[in-house]
C-alpha cells in the first residue's frame, strides 16, 4: 500500500489548506475528512473554503457516497477548490457536485485556487 500524508494549515482566515500526498483510499480519505472538521472546530470558524491540493495524491477510490459524506459532514465548508486534474478526482468531484450542495472547482495552479477562495469569501461577506 502506498503511504500517505496530509498537511493542514490556515492560509488566511477562513481558507483551510489540505495537501494530500500518497494513497487516497477510503480509510485515508475518511481520516482526512474527520481531521478537516477538527481543524475547523479548533479554529472556531463559522464558515470556510477548502483549498485541497491533490497533485501528489494517488486516487484509488471511486466512492461517490464517501465523497458526498465528506462534503456534507461539515456545513461550515462552503466551497472546495481542488488543485490538480487527475481524471479520477474529476469523476468523483463531478458526482459530488450533482449530489451535494457544495460547489467544487478545479485549478492547475495553487495561486488560482487561492484567488478563487478569496473571491468566494468576498462574495459571501457581501451577500450575508
Amino acid at each position: 500500500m502506498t503511504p500517505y500524508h496530509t498537511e493542514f494549515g490556515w492560509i488566511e482566515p477562513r481558507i483551510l489548506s489540505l495537501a494530500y500526498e500518497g494513497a487516497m483510499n477510503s480509510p485515508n480519505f475518511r481520516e482526512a475528512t474527520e481531521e478537516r472538521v477538527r481543524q475547523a472546530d479548533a479554529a472556531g470558524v463559522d464558515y470556510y473554503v477548502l483549498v485541497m491540493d491533490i497533485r501528489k495524491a494517488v486516487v484509488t477510490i471511486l466512492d461517490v457516497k464517501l465523497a458526498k459524506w465528506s462534503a456534507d459532514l461539515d456545513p461550515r465548508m462552503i466551497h472546495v477548490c481542488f488543485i490538480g486534474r487527475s481524471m479520477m478526482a474529476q469523476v468523483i468531484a463531478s458526482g459530488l457536485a450533482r449530489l451535494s450542495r457544495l460547489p467544487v472547482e478545479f485549478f492547475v495552479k495553487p495561486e488560482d485556487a487561492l484567488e478563487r477562495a478569496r473571491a468566494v469569501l468576498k462574495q459571501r461577506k457581501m451577500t450575508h
Side-chain angles (χ1 to χ4, degrees):
M1 167 135 349
T2 307
Y4 87 105
H5 171 76
T6 55
E7 189 171 315
F8 288 88
W10 291 96
I11 300 173
E12 295 175 6
R14 293 194 169 99
I15 301 177
L16 179 60
S17 169
L18 164 56
Y20 205 112
E21 187 172 336
M24 187 185 279
N25 58 29
S26 294
N28 295 349
F29 186 74
R30 187 176 304 280
E31 182 181 311
T33 297
E34 291 169 348
E35 178 59 24
R36 172 179 47 86
V37 174
R38 286 190 290 271
Q39 292 281 330
D41 288 345
V45 295
D46 51 349
Y47 61 91
Y48 64 96
V49 173
L50 178 66
V51 175
M52 188 170 173
D53 188 343
I54 58 171
R55 292 175 294 175
K56 295 181 180 177
V58 179
V59 181
T60 61
I61 55 173
L62 180 55
D63 187 338
V64 175
K65 286 183 183 179
L66 181 61
K68 181 178 177 1
W69 168 81
S70 175
D72 293 342
L73 182 62
D74 188 359
R76 296 171 295 183
M77 185 170 67
I78 62 169
H79 202 99
V80 179
C81 298
F82 281 101
I83 304 167
R85 288 202 164 273
S86 79
M87 183 57 72
M88 183 70 79
Q90 289 184 50
V91 168
I92 291 170
S94 66
L96 174 64
R98 286 192 299 271
L99 295 172
S100 175
R101 58 155 180 88
L102 192 65
V104 175
E105 295 181 77
F106 281 89
F107 299 89
V108 174
K109 298 190 299 189
E111 308 82 44
D112 294 341
L114 180 57
E115 184 178 319
R116 178 64 178 138
R118 288 175 177 149
V120 167
L121 291 176
K122 184 177 181 180
Q123 181 65 32
R124 167 80 182 216
K125 288 178 186 175
M126 293 171 65
T127 60
H128 286 87

